[in-house]
Amino acid sequence: MRRASLVLLLAVAAIALAPAGALLALHLALASDAGGAWIARIVATASSGRVAIEGLRGETIARLRVARLTLSDAQGPWLEVAAAELVWSPRALLEGRLALDALSAAQMRVLRAPVGDGGSGSGAPPLDIALGALRIARLDIAPATGGGLPALTLSGNAGWTTTGARLGLDVRDAARMADRVALAASVAGDAIETTLALDLGAGSWLAARLGIQAAPALQAHARLAGRVAAARL
């Protein structure tokens, strides 16, 4: 009986410590270029080659840097990210939450719209997610996705729980930082609230995208609040 109890206790301890052990192994691997390359190969294999990582390093497991990240689908690459950095909380992951304190990149290139794999499912994240700060210094959107956009900067935040979600985005013309479009949206249960703010100078990129010639300066603010069910068409 004592032997069986000891075996059971060791099994429970091993299961409880497995996540911490995995994080420790990841921390040790990230301390070298060879370890980062090893993790990149695992990610590439697990994603069937759809996620390619180059130059993965980490001063600590909570601060990761990637020289280049490429996302692909059946037709090839559709998104490229350069000089990305992620600051996150490993402890939160052990508690069943994904806490991303900051995610930034020097450049992001959207080459085209991604092609779906035809899979089904709700697509809902399996755990609560919080992104404190998103910062893309330069966002380039290729003409294949619609075109007509200059280089942009993107900042924001986001969150997801089992009871709601939130999203905040601030998009600006990289060459005319005063031109901005800001969006804030939140869903809590059946309640939804969205605000949209525009602050655009004369001849802004948005006016050009809409085909408006000699557009004057525009400032506008709109808010929508109500129930999700009432917003359905």
Side-chain angles (χ1 to χ4, degrees), residues 89-125:
S89 172
R91 180 177 180 178
L93 188 61
L94 295 176
E95 298 171 350
R97 299 179 293 110
L98 183 56
L100 310 177
D101 298 324
L103 177 60
S104 63
Q107 183 180 25
M108 176 182 290
R109 297 177 61 215
V110 181
L111 306 178
R112 57 177 175 80
V115 176
D117 57 10
S120 59
S122 64

Side-chain angles (χ1 to χ4, degrees), residues 15-214:
I15 294 174
L17 294 175
L23 290 175
L24 177 60
L26 180 61
H27 171 72
L28 295 175
L30 289 170
S32 68
D33 292 335
W38 173 69
I39 294 173
R41 289 194 295 271
I42 293 177
V43 172
T45 300
S47 65
S48 300
R50 300 199 173 193
V51 181
I53 301 174
E54 301 175 33
L56 173 62
R57 289 295 301 269
E59 297 175 359
T60 68
I61 190 176
R63 184 182 293 271
L64 308 177
R65 290 189 173 92
V66 173
R68 182 171 297 276
L69 171 69
T70 303
L71 301 185
S72 303
D73 55 26
Q75 296 182 5
W78 65 272
L79 179 70
E80 296 177 347
V81 180
E85 181 176 8
L86 170 65
V87 180
W88 68 298
S89 172
R91 180 177 180 178
L93 188 61
L94 295 176
E95 298 171 350
R97 299 179 293 110
L98 183 56
L100 310 177
D101 298 324
L103 177 60
S104 63
Q107 183 180 25
M108 176 182 290
R109 297 177 61 215
V110 181
L111 306 178
R112 57 177 175 80
V115 176
D117 57 10
S120 59
S122 64
L127 72 172
D128 291 354
I129 299 175
L131 172 58
L134 170 68
R135 171 67 178 173
I136 307 299
R138 181 184 176 96
L139 173 62
D140 294 307
I141 302 177
T145 63
L149 296 178
L152 304 172
T153 68
L154 175 66
S155 60
N157 58 79
W160 165 275
T161 68
T162 56
T163 59
R166 59 178 174 79
L167 174 66
L169 291 176
D170 187 291
V171 183
R172 299 173 184 254
D173 186 335
R176 296 174 40 163
M177 292 296 289
D179 288 354
R180 63 186 290 265
V181 177
L183 170 69
S186 64
V187 177
D190 192 43
I192 182 172
E193 181 174 346
T194 303
T195 60
L196 176 65
L198 303 178
D199 191 353
L200 305 172
S204 68
W205 60 270
L206 182 58
R209 183 68 181 86
L210 296 175
I212 303 175
Q213 302 297 325

